[in-house]
Amino acid sequence: MTDSKSHTIDTATGKEAPAEISEERVLNIFTEIAEQYERFNRSSSFHQDHKWLDRLVELAPITSSSRILDVAGGTGEVTFAICRKAHPAHILLTDYTPAMLEVAKRRIAAGDARSVNVDTQVVDAQKMPFEDNSFDVVTMAYGIRNMPDRMAALREIRRVLVPGGTACILEFSTPPRPVERAFYNLYLKWGIPAWGQHYTGKREDFVYLADSIKAFPAQEEFCDMLRAAGFGHVAYENLAFGAVAIHTAVK
Ligand SMILES: C[S@@+](CC[C@H](N)C(=O)[O-])C[C@H]1O[C@@H](n2cnc3c(N)ncnc32)[C@H](O)[C@@H]1O
């Protein structure tokens, strides 16, 4: 049974801890790696990252009148994937780390939003400054794992969605088959820090990334968290043998 109450954890271990430990770390890491983040993602996913984002966009019920909130949107990878494939009324691209949004703003200026209306805002997903029932679709990729109070973030996402609105959440997950899981764990231990060192020189930041992936709940447990936050129609789709999963949930 998933505890629906808020409690804060250290996102590197999943163990109870003050929120500040994870919040300060995440701000430092993403400030340090903002400029190299996308190149790291491309290589470390063996160029699968855009395919996974495209699938996220396919699963999101986006129409020309949709108001979309991209939570933990970083440099805009999800937002710009939406802009490549759909034409919603508006996307609000939000993130906790200003340096990540600075990269996104440069991409908007360079035309990556195409003709879609995109705004950016620094926002902590665990405490969002938006009215109830403000968005039709909320997207989030690789965000929830970095938040020390995940139940608070999921409840906030539900609160700001309109009734019937959909949350689409892409996150690293757990390959269900033991052999693939064993290879994946080896890749997390050795491959991810090595790619991180190569692109940023900050190996330790990527040891954190690997630890946080290992400590993140597997597919079914994350479904339980979404239900505990009040969502219905909770479902998920595995990608890359379950190393990544997209969860969808309806308010
Ligand atoms: C791995 S990046 C993902 C960025 C983007 N969604 C993508 O797919 O490339 C994780 C992002 O989560 C953001 N983040 C971490 N904690 C957050 C919080 N409490 N509220 C909002 N964003 C947060 C970080 O600043 C970082 O930009």
Side-chain angles (χ1 to χ4, degrees):
M1 186 67 187
T2 299
D3 183 1
S4 66
K5 287 202 284 298
S6 283
H7 65 275
T8 61
I9 55 165
D10 178 340
T11 54
T13 62
K15 300 215 167 74
E16 201 122 345
E20 300 77 51
I21 293 175
S22 299
E23 287 169 351
E24 280 172 28
R25 180 176 51 214
V26 97
L27 190 60
N28 287 336
I29 289 178
F30 286 101
T31 301
E32 278 181 348
I33 69 170
E35 298 295 329
Q36 294 85 25
Y37 170 78
E38 291 178 4
R39 283 196 300 147
F40 162 79
N41 255 7
R42 206 114 314 130
S43 300
S44 65
S45 71
F46 304 104
H47 292 253
Q48 297 304 295
D49 54 333
H50 276 187
K51 286 189 195 147
W52 299 337
L53 293 176
D54 286 349
R55 185 62 188 145
L56 177 74
V57 177
E58 276 167 17
L59 290 172
I62 299 171
T63 69
S64 57
S65 61
S66 297
R67 294 155 301 166
I68 300 178
L69 175 67
D70 187 14
V71 171
T75 62
E77 290 281 71
V78 174
T79 289
F80 301 125
I82 295 171
C83 297
R84 285 195 295 275
K85 293 181 85 75
H87 202 285
H90 185 249
I91 306 177
L92 184 54
L93 161 54
T94 61
D95 199 273
Y96 187 63
T97 307
M100 293 290 274
L101 287 179
E102 288 306 317
V103 177
K105 285 186 209 165
R106 287 207 308 268
R107 290 188 61 181
I108 293 170
D112 285 359
R114 301 176 183 229
S115 55
V116 179
N117 191 3
V118 176
D119 288 306
T120 62
Q121 189 173 334
V122 175
V123 170
D124 180 351
Q126 302 159 118
K127 206 169 12 150
M128 295 204 262
F130 308 124
E131 301 281 314
D132 298 357
N133 312 323
S134 300
F135 300 95
D136 303 292
V137 174
V138 173
T139 55
M140 175 164 56
Y142 314 113
I144 189 77
R145 179 173 39 82
N146 292 296
M147 298 175 196
D149 192 344
R150 293 172 182 155
M151 285 310 302
L154 295 179
R155 274 197 301 270
E156 279 293 84
I157 289 171
R158 184 178 177 280
R159 179 183 69 74
V160 302
L161 275 169
V162 296
T166 304
C168 301
I169 302 176
L170 185 152
E171 190 50 85
F172 292 109
S173 202
T174 307
R177 287 200 289 259
V179 173
E180 284 147 2
R181 195 160 59 239
F183 275 110
Y184 182 53
N185 284 337
L186 284 175
Y187 184 62
L188 290 179
K189 189 167 170 54
W190 302 108
I192 292 289
W195 280 120
Q197 170 69 26
H198 174 70
Y199 279 114
T200 70
K202 311 268 181 201
R203 192 174 193 283
E204 279 313 304
D205 290 356
F206 294 85
V207 171
Y208 160 74
L209 174 68
D211 287 345
S212 71
I213 292 171
K214 271 193 267 178
F216 191 71
Q219 289 83 336
E220 288 297 339
E221 194 185 339
F222 191 56
C223 286
D224 288 342
M225 289 172 67
L226 285 160
R227 289 188 198 101
F231 283 102
H233 300 284
V234 175
Y236 69 88
E237 181 175 308
N238 281 336
L239 302 169
F241 309 109
V244 172
I246 299 173
H247 283 74
T248 52
V250 179
K251 175 169 174 180

